[in-house]
Amino acid sequence: MIREADIVLPYGVIKGDIAIEGEKISALGNVSGRAKKEISASGMLAFPGFIDAHVHFSLPVSGTRTTDDFASGSLSALFGGVTTFIDFTVSAFGGTLADNIEARLSEARESVADYTFHAEITSWDRKRSWEIESAIEKGITSFKFFMTYEDSGRRTDKGKLYHAFSEIARLGGVALVHAEDEELVKYFTNLLIEKGELDVKLFPKSRPPIVEAMAIEDALFLARETGVNLYVVHVSTAAGAEVIRKGKMDGITVYAETAPHYLVLTEGDFSELVSMCPPLRRREDSIALWEFLSKGVLSVVATDHCSFSPEQKKSFRDFRRVPMGIPGVETLFPLLFTHGYANGRLGLVKLSEILSANPAKIFGLYPRKGVLSVGSDADIVLVNPSREVKLEASCLHSKAGYTPYEGMKLKGFPNIVISRGEVVIEGGKFFGNRGRGKFLKREVSGS
Ligand code: URP
Ligand code: ZN
Ligand code: ZN
């Protein structure tokens, strides 16, 4: 039993108790009687466990692999209050979607947080339609495409996207896109190649905002034509978010995500260590992204956690070879709580929507996950809202060995994290068994 918490519910914050039986929430409000274990949460906020809808643990890329595997990545997630994460299957080694799902399930066995995957698709052809159906049978209902990265063989062209989107629409799934226009990326990259300007610090010049906005336009046209539910990952620019706003106004079913780094860092922070794709943008973009979040044009903040060590990042200077991506799963909530809520940009209910309810609804996990309600999984994050921490990478649990947010003063690090009724984090310690995380089988909406 959690006593006297300020409980963040979909319609407001109420003071009350949360009763847990087994893995589920059994009562909310003023709950009478005594329980076997009682937690006094007076002065603490109680949020539904956060869902990071975009992480890459154990990702092979650029001839290397991320430092975080599923054990360390999911532990880092729990310390940040992320009780559920969505990773991606890996298509680099060929195989059917079903093969890729089985391989990833086996890699994820050591996870301590609950999880599911988006199925990554990189070499679509029309004979593969049946694979979407088989993935859905396995509980994987969202499918990720890259509109760029041709050189590494990951790009899907528009004709193939059209066909794949049609199939996903027919079966009720969600199509995710990494939206960057390949022709524009090539144009801007070639300008840099001609001048020999390939240092990683110049990477942002290869992808100005038009690259993102034009690709999102294309994806929206395809979504309108095919009727697919579209989800645009890591939107980084005001221009891109504006295209999404117009698409929504036109009645297209499109959801969009941004990442904490696009909200709290800007182009001057981009460096060999703090390098990711899409790159960091101007201050005007981050200000606009907060606005788009508060207005509901952007529905989700997810981290794109992709952790490489400083040694891995620094082993190349040429931006075409640097493994892109930064760690972030553990700082997701503290960054949003500090820079979003404490700075007056987002209310508590909105914050909870963005980090729990929305990703759960979009990806078929609601109401099992994403909300504090009777019958839902007892995934609960208790936070003392006034406790502030000066961030140091050594206090985090990712194996990256650095954080892009070093030295920032952040509120919102959880005091207690409960996952399916089990206190897994308390007093800065993990209590739980390796491999306790569960794979979450999802269903398409309407089935
Ligand atoms: O730089 C990033 N984001 N790396 C991860 C792969 C991706 O494009 O999301
Ligand atoms: Zn991406
Ligand atoms: Zn990613």
mmCIF file with all atom_site columns, all heavy atoms in Angstrom, residues 389-400:
data_model
loop_
_atom_site.group_PDB
_atom_site.id
_atom_site.type_symbol
_atom_site.label_atom_id
_atom_site.label_alt_id
_atom_site.label_comp_id
_atom_site.label_asym_id
_atom_site.label_entity_id
_atom_site.label_seq_id
_atom_site.pdbx_PDB_ins_code
_atom_site.Cartn_x
_atom_site.Cartn_y
_atom_site.Cartn_z
_atom_site.occupancy
_atom_site.B_iso_or_equiv
_atom_site.pdbx_formal_charge
_atom_site.auth_seq_id
_atom_site.auth_comp_id
_atom_site.auth_asym_id
_atom_site.auth_atom_id
_atom_site.pdbx_PDB_model_num
ATOM 1  N N   . VAL A 1 389 ? 19.568 17.014 -7.746  1.00 0.00 ? 389 VAL A N   1
ATOM 2  C CA  . VAL A 1 389 ? 20.823 16.262 -7.849  1.00 0.00 ? 389 VAL A CA  1
ATOM 3  C C   . VAL A 1 389 ? 21.704 16.958 -8.881  1.00 0.00 ? 389 VAL A C   1
ATOM 4  O O   . VAL A 1 389 ? 21.218 17.390 -9.926  1.00 0.00 ? 389 VAL A O   1
ATOM 5  C CB  . VAL A 1 389 ? 20.512 14.818 -8.334  1.00 0.00 ? 389 VAL A CB  1
ATOM 6  C CG1 . VAL A 1 389 ? 21.771 14.069 -8.725  1.00 0.00 ? 389 VAL A CG1 1
ATOM 7  C CG2 . VAL A 1 389 ? 19.729 14.046 -7.280  1.00 0.00 ? 389 VAL A CG2 1
ATOM 8  N N   . LYS A 1 390 ? 22.988 17.083 -8.564  1.00 0.00 ? 390 LYS A N   1
ATOM 9  C CA  . LYS A 1 390 ? 23.919 17.573 -9.592  1.00 0.00 ? 390 LYS A CA  1
ATOM 10 C C   . LYS A 1 390 ? 24.423 16.354 -10.355 1.00 0.00 ? 390 LYS A C   1
ATOM 11 O O   . LYS A 1 390 ? 25.044 15.458 -9.779  1.00 0.00 ? 390 LYS A O   1
ATOM 12 C CB  . LYS A 1 390 ? 25.073 18.336 -8.937  1.00 0.00 ? 390 LYS A CB  1
ATOM 13 C CG  . LYS A 1 390 ? 25.942 18.996 -9.964  1.00 0.00 ? 390 LYS A CG  1
ATOM 14 C CD  . LYS A 1 390 ? 26.863 20.029 -9.331  1.00 0.00 ? 390 LYS A CD  1
ATOM 15 C CE  . LYS A 1 390 ? 27.703 20.636 -10.430 1.00 0.00 ? 390 LYS A CE  1
ATOM 16 N NZ  . LYS A 1 390 ? 29.060 20.854 -10.104 1.00 0.00 ? 390 LYS A NZ  1
ATOM 17 N N   . LEU A 1 391 ? 24.097 16.328 -11.632 1.00 0.00 ? 391 LEU A N   1
ATOM 18 C CA  . LEU A 1 391 ? 24.303 15.103 -12.392 1.00 0.00 ? 391 LEU A CA  1
ATOM 19 C C   . LEU A 1 391 ? 25.783 14.820 -12.665 1.00 0.00 ? 391 LEU A C   1
ATOM 20 O O   . LEU A 1 391 ? 26.523 15.688 -13.108 1.00 0.00 ? 391 LEU A O   1
ATOM 21 C CB  . LEU A 1 391 ? 23.548 15.221 -13.725 1.00 0.00 ? 391 LEU A CB  1
ATOM 22 C CG  . LEU A 1 391 ? 23.412 13.945 -14.534 1.00 0.00 ? 391 LEU A CG  1
ATOM 23 C CD1 . LEU A 1 391 ? 22.740 12.852 -13.727 1.00 0.00 ? 391 LEU A CD1 1
ATOM 24 C CD2 . LEU A 1 391 ? 22.610 14.212 -15.803 1.00 0.00 ? 391 LEU A CD2 1
ATOM 25 N N   . GLU A 1 392 ? 26.146 13.571 -12.394 1.00 0.00 ? 392 GLU A N   1
ATOM 26 C CA  . GLU A 1 392 ? 27.485 13.089 -12.757 1.00 0.00 ? 392 GLU A CA  1
ATOM 27 C C   . GLU A 1 392 ? 27.315 11.727 -13.406 1.00 0.00 ? 392 GLU A C   1
ATOM 28 O O   . GLU A 1 392 ? 26.547 10.905 -12.901 1.00 0.00 ? 392 GLU A O   1
ATOM 29 C CB  . GLU A 1 392 ? 28.344 12.899 -11.500 1.00 0.00 ? 392 GLU A CB  1
ATOM 30 C CG  . GLU A 1 392 ? 28.852 14.184 -10.910 1.00 0.00 ? 392 GLU A CG  1
ATOM 31 C CD  . GLU A 1 392 ? 29.535 13.945 -9.568  1.00 0.00 ? 392 GLU A CD  1
ATOM 32 O OE1 . GLU A 1 392 ? 30.108 12.850 -9.366  1.00 0.00 ? 392 GLU A OE1 1
ATOM 33 O OE2 . GLU A 1 392 ? 29.469 14.849 -8.727  1.00 0.00 ? 392 GLU A OE2 1
ATOM 34 N N   . ALA A 1 393 ? 28.035 11.489 -14.469 1.00 0.00 ? 393 ALA A N   1
ATOM 35 C CA  . ALA A 1 393 ? 27.891 10.215 -15.178 1.00 0.00 ? 393 ALA A CA  1
ATOM 36 C C   . ALA A 1 393 ? 28.137 9.041  -14.234 1.00 0.00 ? 393 ALA A C   1
ATOM 37 O O   . ALA A 1 393 ? 27.504 7.984  -14.350 1.00 0.00 ? 393 ALA A O   1
ATOM 38 C CB  . ALA A 1 393 ? 28.861 10.158 -16.344 1.00 0.00 ? 393 ALA A CB  1
ATOM 39 N N   . SER A 1 394 ? 29.032 9.236  -13.257 1.00 0.00 ? 394 SER A N   1
ATOM 40 C CA  . SER A 1 394 ? 29.380 8.117  -12.369 1.00 0.00 ? 394 SER A CA  1
ATOM 41 C C   . SER A 1 394 ? 28.190 7.705  -11.491 1.00 0.00 ? 394 SER A C   1
ATOM 42 O O   . SER A 1 394 ? 28.194 6.608  -10.933 1.00 0.00 ? 394 SER A O   1
ATOM 43 C CB  . SER A 1 394 ? 30.563 8.497  -11.486 1.00 0.00 ? 394 SER A CB  1
ATOM 44 O OG  . SER A 1 394 ? 30.247 9.668  -10.773 1.00 0.00 ? 394 SER A OG  1
ATOM 45 N N   . CYS A 1 395 ? 27.183 8.560  -11.378 1.00 0.00 ? 395 CYS A N   1
ATOM 46 C CA  . CYS A 1 395 ? 25.996 8.190  -10.573 1.00 0.00 ? 395 CYS A CA  1
ATOM 47 C C   . CYS A 1 395 ? 24.967 7.448  -11.417 1.00 0.00 ? 395 CYS A C   1
ATOM 48 O O   . CYS A 1 395 ? 23.965 6.957  -10.887 1.00 0.00 ? 395 CYS A O   1
ATOM 49 C CB  . CYS A 1 395 ? 25.322 9.435  -10.009 1.00 0.00 ? 395 CYS A CB  1
ATOM 50 S SG  . CYS A 1 395 ? 26.427 10.395 -9.002  1.00 0.00 ? 395 CYS A SG  1
ATOM 51 N N   . LEU A 1 396 ? 25.143 7.421  -12.727 1.00 0.00 ? 396 LEU A N   1
ATOM 52 C CA  . LEU A 1 396 ? 24.165 6.765  -13.589 1.00 0.00 ? 396 LEU A CA  1
ATOM 53 C C   . LEU A 1 396 ? 24.553 5.296  -13.801 1.00 0.00 ? 396 LEU A C   1
ATOM 54 O O   . LEU A 1 396 ? 25.657 4.874  -13.449 1.00 0.00 ? 396 LEU A O   1
ATOM 55 C CB  . LEU A 1 396 ? 24.069 7.502  -14.932 1.00 0.00 ? 396 LEU A CB  1
ATOM 56 C CG  . LEU A 1 396 ? 23.602 8.967  -14.826 1.00 0.00 ? 396 LEU A CG  1
ATOM 57 C CD1 . LEU A 1 396 ? 23.667 9.651  -16.185 1.00 0.00 ? 396 LEU A CD1 1
ATOM 58 C CD2 . LEU A 1 396 ? 22.182 9.046  -14.264 1.00 0.00 ? 396 LEU A CD2 1
ATOM 59 N N   . HIS A 1 397 ? 23.666 4.530  -14.396 1.00 0.00 ? 397 HIS A N   1
ATOM 60 C CA  . HIS A 1 397 ? 23.871 3.082  -14.470 1.00 0.00 ? 397 HIS A CA  1
ATOM 61 C C   . HIS A 1 397 ? 24.088 2.568  -15.887 1.00 0.00 ? 397 HIS A C   1
ATOM 62 O O   . HIS A 1 397 ? 24.204 1.374  -16.105 1.00 0.00 ? 397 HIS A O   1
ATOM 63 C CB  . HIS A 1 397 ? 22.691 2.378  -13.779 1.00 0.00 ? 397 HIS A CB  1
ATOM 64 C CG  . HIS A 1 397 ? 22.608 2.771  -12.338 1.00 0.00 ? 397 HIS A CG  1
ATOM 65 N ND1 . HIS A 1 397 ? 22.008 3.961  -11.948 1.00 0.00 ? 397 HIS A ND1 1
ATOM 66 C CD2 . HIS A 1 397 ? 23.114 2.195  -11.228 1.00 0.00 ? 397 HIS A CD2 1
ATOM 67 C CE1 . HIS A 1 397 ? 22.125 4.079  -10.628 1.00 0.00 ? 397 HIS A CE1 1
ATOM 68 N NE2 . HIS A 1 397 ? 22.782 3.028  -10.168 1.00 0.00 ? 397 HIS A NE2 1
ATOM 69 N N   . SER A 1 398 ? 24.144 3.485  -16.847 1.00 0.00 ? 398 SER A N   1
ATOM 70 C CA  . SER A 1 398 ? 24.489 3.092  -18.213 1.00 0.00 ? 398 SER A CA  1
ATOM 71 C C   . SER A 1 398 ? 25.987 2.803  -18.256 1.00 0.00 ? 398 SER A C   1
ATOM 72 O O   . SER A 1 398 ? 26.760 3.380  -17.492 1.00 0.00 ? 398 SER A O   1
ATOM 73 C CB  . SER A 1 398 ? 24.166 4.249  -19.164 1.00 0.00 ? 398 SER A CB  1
ATOM 74 O OG  . SER A 1 398 ? 24.886 4.114  -20.366 1.00 0.00 ? 398 SER A OG  1
ATOM 75 N N   . LYS A 1 399 ? 26.374 1.932  -19.197 1.00 0.00 ? 399 LYS A N   1
ATOM 76 C CA  . LYS A 1 399 ? 27.810 1.653  -19.344 1.00 0.00 ? 399 LYS A CA  1
ATOM 77 C C   . LYS A 1 399 ? 28.479 2.641  -20.278 1.00 0.00 ? 399 LYS A C   1
ATOM 78 O O   . LYS A 1 399 ? 29.641 2.453  -20.648 1.00 0.00 ? 399 LYS A O   1
ATOM 79 C CB  . LYS A 1 399 ? 28.002 0.234  -19.877 1.00 0.00 ? 399 LYS A CB  1
ATOM 80 C CG  . LYS A 1 399 ? 27.725 -0.855 -18.858 1.00 0.00 ? 399 LYS A CG  1
ATOM 81 C CD  . LYS A 1 399 ? 28.146 -2.185 -19.461 1.00 0.00 ? 399 LYS A CD  1
ATOM 82 C CE  . LYS A 1 399 ? 27.768 -3.346 -18.575 1.00 0.00 ? 399 LYS A CE  1
ATOM 83 N NZ  . LYS A 1 399 ? 27.700 -4.596 -19.369 1.00 0.00 ? 399 LYS A NZ  1
ATOM 84 N N   . ALA A 1 400 ? 27.752 3.690  -20.694 1.00 0.00 ? 400 ALA A N   1
ATOM 85 C CA  . ALA A 1 400 ? 28.339 4.652  -21.634 1.00 0.00 ? 400 ALA A CA  1
ATOM 86 C C   . ALA A 1 400 ? 29.561 5.321  -21.032 1.00 0.00 ? 400 ALA A C   1
ATOM 87 O O   . ALA A 1 400 ? 30.530 5.609  -21.739 1.00 0.00 ? 400 ALA A O   1
ATOM 88 C CB  . ALA A 1 400 ? 27.315 5.711  -22.019 1.00 0.00 ? 400 ALA A CB  1
#
